[in-house]
Amino acid sequence: MSSLSWRHQTLIQTLLSRGPLKENDFRSIFSQFIGKSHTQRDSQQQIFDDYLRKINTELGYVQLEL
């Protein structure tokens, strides 16, 4: 069973449906995606890094990476 949450899976599906993106576009989508779900004590950059790390760990099994 995947250790990715529904939020991680939704982000992956969103990115796959749009095709290749520039980093700024990806960050814009991510900012809209997390919206109010992040806490004040966590920086958006830390949340972004954590999401990418967790997603890439899971996608590594099929030799993919964001």
Side-chain angles (χ1 to χ4, degrees):
M1 186 167 160
S2 175
S3 64
L4 297 177
S5 72
W6 67 269
R7 290 186 184 275
H8 291 95
Q9 294 173 10
T10 303
L11 179 60
I12 292 168
Q13 290 173 354
T14 300
L15 295 172
L16 287 173
S17 71
R18 296 177 191 272
L21 297 171
K22 294 183 179 184
E23 184 177 352
N24 289 341
D25 295 334
F26 176 65
R27 287 184 180 274
S28 176
I29 289 171
F30 183 78
S31 294
Q32 294 172 10
F33 177 77
I34 63 167
K36 298 176 186 172
S37 69
H38 68 284
T39 61
Q40 295 298 329
R41 63 190 167 137
D42 293 330
S43 71
Q44 187 169 342
Q45 182 63 46
Q46 182 63 41
I47 294 169
F48 181 80
D49 292 344
D50 290 345
Y51 264 74
L52 279 183
R53 187 176 305 110
K54 190 164 189 174
I55 288 171
N56 284 335
T57 298
E58 293 297 320
L59 291 178
Y61 293 111
V62 291
Q63 299 177 352
L64 294 174
E65 183 177 87
L66 293 180

